[in-house]
Amino acid sequence: MIKIQGLHKSFGKLEVLRGINCNISEKEVVCVIGPSGSGKSTFLRCINLLEEVTAGSIYIDGVKINSKDTDINEIRKEVGMVFQQFNLFPHMNVLENITIAPKRIRKMHEIEANDLAYQLLEKVGLRDKASAYPEQLSGGQMQRVAIARAMAMRPKVMLFDEPTSALDPEMVKEVLDVMKQLAKDGMTMVVVTHEMGFAREMGDRVLFMDEGIIMEEGTPSEVFGQPKSTRTQDFLSKVL
Amino acid sequence: MIDFLDAIRFDMIWNYKELFIRGLWITLSLTAVGYVGGIILGLFLGIGKLSKIKWIYYPAKYYVDFFRGTPLLVQILLIHLAVIPSIFGHSLGYFVSGATALMLNCAAYNAEIIRAGIQSIEKGQMEAARSLGMPQGEAMRFIILPQAFRRMIPPLGNELIALLKDSSLVTVIAANDLLYAGKVVAGAYARFWEPYITVAILYLLLTWVFTKVIAYVEKRYSNSYIPSQRRRLFSFGRASAGG
């Protein structure tokens, strides 16, 4: 479903991604782990072109997305993203946060969009918060709304950029539970995370990134159980 | 001192009250047209100054540089006596010239306020909007600007008061604004205290009202995004009941 070939990304002289090759199939949950500064987030942000790609190609459903002929907005409709800092729209209540994109972009009727929003809020357990404003919510609630907002566009794939890193510890679980439910529902997911427990439990595949390349990849039991590279062993010994 | 107070003749102002009322009206109209036009034009210039496209960025930048870098008085004369006659072949009257000059000048200052306001919104807001598939323009209109405008209220309020006072410069092209009314009375009686103190008080009154309105708008929109109940605009020192 997603095919990434020879992906390079530089910020000025700094080479952040140095040749990433990766295939992600439908309904697969891929967890990306690695030390900070390894390029995990940049890799994720390249998949919906929040970062311009320096070299290489990214295909989604056979369409090359980093090409001048591709309408990037069409691609992004199909690729949902959840951010570390939630990035809810503070001037809109929860319902408006979720419905603005379906209404504006998918031209969905108001009633239909609201129905969809309530369904999604039900799923993330926040139906009663529909008219609350982001500043009235806890971090965990905000992130669950952010997930619902991304899901409202009915994307084919969801990208998670360290979704629990900005949360107080007691709120991590409620967000991870929502993500687990999504995975069980068959959503294709790419998750950059420091939650090794989640990667181990939910990941179909784990990518270990370091210094801008994928050092090691495999099933969770392979990567966590018998890591081959010394860098992976070193990293895991520090975080586990 | 007593002699001086006895000698004050406000009856002469009263005799010219229609001129002052008309002057107030003209001053307010010039300010309103200049301000609204200045915000709309300033919005485009402010966004233009954020553009990465050179042929959008540079015209916006040079526009702002010119109108902030030259005196408003010179701009008024240039527009009234040179630009408009050259384009239309004749003058379109002081109001068109005056309002145009005030608008063009105000837009330059507003452009900087609007640019800074937009830049103050966290990058993640634009990224979140774009990641949902919103084109740049829609994201700007529905996500960034509604948030940025709240932060622009205090500086845009300052601009309104500055513009109100600067509008008095249009007397040089014989606009019959508030200051002009004072000049007429001064000329007719060869007395200066009464007409100019009256003009000053009237300007002060206008800026006082504007300050109140701006403070109200600021209070209503600046603190929280949660819609609050309406508070009274003018409480005149009394604590407002309820909240």
Side-chain angles (χ1 to χ4, degrees), chain B:
Chain B
M1 191 66 193
I2 303 290
D3 288 351
F4 174 74
L5 283 178
D6 278 348
I8 282 191
R9 290 178 48 203
F10 275 110
D11 58 307
M12 67 168 76
I13 306 296
W14 189 250
N15 290 339
Y16 279 88
K17 59 181 182 297
E18 269 121 43
L19 199 59
F20 280 95
I21 290 167
R22 185 169 166 75
L24 269 177
W25 172 243
I26 297 291
T27 289
L28 280 173
S29 307
L30 280 170
T31 306
V33 174
Y35 192 64
V36 172
I39 285 186
I40 295 166
L41 184 57
L43 186 60
F44 287 104
L45 289 166
I47 292 173
K49 280 201 76 174
L50 289 168
S51 178
K52 282 177 195 149
I53 303 164
K54 277 187 183 148
W55 57 266
I56 294 177
Y57 170 78
Y58 279 106
K61 176 186 153 44
Y62 290 136
Y63 177 97
V64 172
D65 287 352
F66 177 80
F67 279 94
R68 288 205 310 177
T70 54
L72 177 55
L73 188 55
V74 175
Q75 293 163 16
I76 291 170
L77 291 171
L78 201 59
I79 286 165
H80 185 65
L81 300 174
V83 176
I84 288 185
S86 296
I87 295 173
F88 297 96
H90 54 86
S91 166
L92 298 178
Y94 70 86
F95 193 89
V96 172
S97 303
T100 306
L102 290 175
M103 179 185 88
L104 296 179
N105 183 270
C106 185
Y109 287 91
N110 287 346
E112 289 298 294
I113 292 170
I114 287 162
R115 178 191 58 75
I118 291 170
Q119 278 179 326
S120 78
I121 301 300
E122 299 68 30
K123 231 177 102 212
Q125 290 291 311
M126 180 56 97
E127 287 183 350
R130 298 304 306 272
S131 80
L132 290 165
M134 279 193 203
Q136 177 97 19
E138 294 228 345
M140 191 53 92
R141 185 169 144 212
F142 293 102
I143 308 302
I144 305 299
L145 285 180
Q147 297 181 56
F149 263 124
R150 286 169 181 254
R151 298 188 188 176
M152 296 173 200
I153 290 169
L156 285 180
N158 282 340
E159 274 310 303
L160 176 60
I161 287 170
L163 186 70
L164 174 76
K165 293 182 295 175
D166 288 348
S167 74
S168 63
L169 289 170
V170 297
T171 40
V172 294
I173 55 170
N176 47 357
D177 72 327
L178 187 51
L179 177 58
Y180 182 82
K183 281 172 81 172
V184 168
V185 175
Y189 291 88
R191 292 176 67 100
F192 303 103
W193 267 101
E194 293 87 348
Y196 287 122
I197 208 76
T198 306
V199 167
I201 289 168
L202 287 172
Y203 273 113
L204 192 61
L205 206 66
L206 288 179
T207 53
W208 179 76
V209 172
F210 280 23
T211 308
K212 278 277 176 190
V213 172
I214 293 160
Y216 170 79
V217 173
E218 203 180 318
K219 205 168 177 184
R220 192 162 152 71
Y221 288 103
S222 287
N223 296 330
S224 165
Y225 287 106
I226 304 162
S228 58
Q229 285 190 306
R230 295 176 67 113
R231 277 185 221 95
R232 234 184 271 160
L233 181 49
F234 290 96
S235 60
F236 291 103
R238 265 188 304 139
S240 57

